[in-house]
Amino acid sequence: MTTPTAPPTTAPIQTTQQGPAIEVTGPLRDRYDEILTPEAIAFLTELHHRFASRRHDRLADRMRRRFEIGNGHDPRFREDTAHIREDAEWQVAGAGPGLEDRRVEITGPTDPKMTINALNSGARVWLADQEDATSPTWKNVIEGQLSLRDAIRGELSFTSPEGKEYRVTAERTPTIVMRPRGWHLPEKHISFVDRAGRRTSASGSLVDFGLYFLHNAQSLIDNGRGPYFYIAKIESSEEAKLWDDVFSFSEEYIGIPHGTIRATVLIETLPAAFEMDEILFELRDHCAGLNAGRWDYIFSIIKNYRGRGARFVLPDRSEVTMTVPFMRAYTELLVQTCHKRGAFAIGGMSASIPNRRDPEATARAIEKVAADKNREAGDGFDGTWVAHPDLIPTALAEFDAVLGDRPNQVDRQRDDVHVEARDLLDLHIGRPITAQGVRDNVSVAIRYLEAWLRGLGAVAIDNLMEDAATAEISRSQVWQWIHQDRSTQEGTPITAEYVEGLITQVLAQATRSAGDRFEDAAEIFREVALQEEFPTFLTLGAYSRFLVDEA
């Protein structure tokens, strides 16, 4: 597949099928009709007809829960679901074909070049990311689907603007696990009529899932694997139940056996950490495991406790490591919960990445990644994430040393782990906020947002891989430090005026080029970090107001 060059059209696609009428208003470029087929539109219509209202109910639940936490009601293990946690008998479906060994998974966006690189990487699994590593331009959403479709059929190729050709050459390619957008994200280029009779944006989750599943499920099965998904931003077992119902309906819709779909749920929100058993239970017929989504988890803690006082203020982002008490409690509970239920526990992604132009920086990155993966393997995780192909040998060596010839260590039960609610909420780290830490947050957030507005969702900044989750930490820390009247270690009060000065510095020092989006990025940062209100996700307002597709 080559990059489409034909001029777009804007003819709407509609369905007359019963239920909310789906309308596609995004530009229809070359080959988009291979994804936006009448069959696909009909399937999206059915998904929204059956599940869109429940999605809104679950999002309303999130708002209520955040309000309760903000008003002093800490999350806890639910009393009404204690019977699920106490029943030792039930198990999840576990690994599907091609998911038995997940010791190293590579993550990344789904453009043709990155798809080919991932499939040639030597990883066991590729997380094909339509969420935090993808800027949701219409081009990225649909052409990402085209990349996946072609790759699954062995038809993908790509020629760069410089004339370099890319093809899949690996004899054994990773098993694809696709990550659709979270429940909170809309798709503004596709609309439907909601339960109140209003035309509104479609669900990004249902669009991403529906298009990928309908076009590829049977081909994946024929290839000896299956339709597998990473589920992002879950906050409750009720949200997991909604996904399970989507899966069951979709399997029936195309006539494949119940339980063919396998899902790995990212535990990347604080409320979800208190419902791991329940989430596995609701998805048990379709569940392969849980993943420790570390960066979004940190963001979720800041978001939920941003107004609760100094006890809940975290220091510099670089000091919030996987070895601090609340992160240790969260990850150890995840491994124990997964293995008790026959589920895989997948570790998170180290932010450090190699720099081929800087051997010393590369050596430091490899050392940090090796230590991180050594800890995960030793804790009982069955696999882990990397964001760069050069880190696969490092991660693989650490897991090989623990696993040996075994494909996983699900049999390691971790009966030694005893985590209580207070352990998950022990946010004391005892480190300061520094002037450099504040500046780094401002710089990273603005530079990432600028790239995101140009269509890049995963960006290397200062030898770290940044995506939407790490940008969320950066801006939410700034917001919290301002509103909790924090000062830097050097004695400078962290105020909106102080941060404005840092914004000016970042813009002055940025490497500018024609068509850059730094001014827009700074404006978004001001809205999500300096205003009185705290937007729940920085991408929501940026998506609706600033993310513009090129014609």
Side-chain angles (χ1 to χ4, degrees), residues 165-463:
E165 292 189 5
Y166 295 83
R167 294 183 181 278
V168 178
T169 57
E171 183 175 339
R172 183 189 182 281
T173 59
T175 298
I176 298 173
V177 182
M178 186 266 205
R179 177 161 70 166
R181 282 169 283 181
W183 281 130
H184 62 291
L185 290 168
E187 175 45 66
K188 66 181 180 181
H189 300 93
I190 299 178
S191 66
F192 76 103
V193 177
D194 67 14
R195 58 187 171 184
R198 298 167 300 193
R199 183 160 291 282
T200 187
S201 293
S203 160
S205 296
L206 295 179
V207 169
D208 293 346
F209 164 81
L211 294 176
Y212 178 76
F213 176 82
L214 188 78
H215 289 299
N216 301 304
Q218 191 59 57
S219 293
L220 288 162
I221 295 167
D222 294 343
N223 291 343
R225 298 179 180 180
Y228 303 143
F229 299 90
Y230 259 111
I231 302 304
K233 306 294 190 293
I234 286 284
E235 293 203 12
S236 68
S237 57
E238 286 78 12
E239 292 185 26
K241 173 60 175 171
L242 175 55
W243 268 117
D244 192 69
D245 289 345
V246 170
F247 295 155
S248 295
F249 166 74
S250 301
E251 290 166 334
E252 182 180 3
Y253 187 89
I254 68 168
I256 60 176
H258 177 76
T260 301
I261 292 173
R262 289 290 195 274
T264 303
V265 177
L266 290 113
I267 301 299
E268 54 185 352
T269 67
L270 179 63
F274 287 86
E275 297 190 34
M276 292 191 217
D277 265 307
E278 293 87 338
I279 288 169
L280 289 172
F281 181 81
E282 294 295 357
L283 279 161
R284 60 194 179 279
D285 289 349
H286 295 108
C287 196
L290 303 178
N291 170 277
R294 59 179 71 174
W295 306 117
D296 266 304
Y297 189 73
I298 295 169
F299 164 55
S300 177
I301 286 175
I302 300 168
K303 176 165 60 176
N304 280 285
Y305 279 91
R306 65 189 185 276
R308 288 279 298 272
R311 184 164 69 91
F312 299 99
V313 175
L314 297 178
D316 289 0
R317 174 183 140 185
S318 61
E319 300 289 348
V320 188
T321 67
M322 297 305 294
T323 60
V324 301
F326 72 92
M327 295 301 284
R328 289 293 291 158
Y330 146 70
T331 54
E332 291 200 316
L333 180 61
L334 187 148
V335 172
Q336 182 191 55
T337 304
C338 283
H339 289 182
K340 178 182 178 182
R341 304 303 181 183
F344 282 51
I346 308 299
M349 185 175 69
S350 303
S352 299
I353 56 172
N355 183 337
R356 292 170 179 171
R357 292 173 293 184
D358 187 341
E360 292 185 3
T362 295
R364 289 193 298 270
I366 290 175
E367 182 180 3
K368 290 180 180 179
V369 170
D372 185 58
K373 305 315 175 188
N374 176 271
R375 175 191 51 76
E376 287 183 330
D379 284 349
F381 281 96
D382 303 289
T384 191
W385 282 6
V386 298
H388 195 287
D390 289 353
L391 296 175
I392 291 174
T394 300
L396 194 60
E398 299 300 334
F399 273 83
D400 285 348
V402 172
L403 295 179
D405 294 332
R406 296 176 298 159
N408 56 70
Q409 51 183 335
V410 173
D411 58 346
R412 186 178 171 194
Q413 292 296 293
R414 291 304 311 269
D415 294 330
D416 57 309
V417 171
H418 303 283
V419 173
E420 299 183 8
R422 66 174 178 267
D423 301 316
L424 294 171
L425 300 175
D426 180 9
L427 304 188
H428 178 70
I429 296 178
R431 301 292 295 169
I433 302 166
T434 68
Q436 187 62 48
V438 182
R439 191 190 188 287
D440 286 347
N441 276 352
V442 175
S443 175
V444 165
I446 291 176
R447 290 156 71 191
Y448 175 78
L449 282 166
E450 193 278 330
W452 187 86
L453 291 170
R454 289 186 289 107
L456 301 175
V459 187
I461 299 176
D462 298 334
N463 297 321

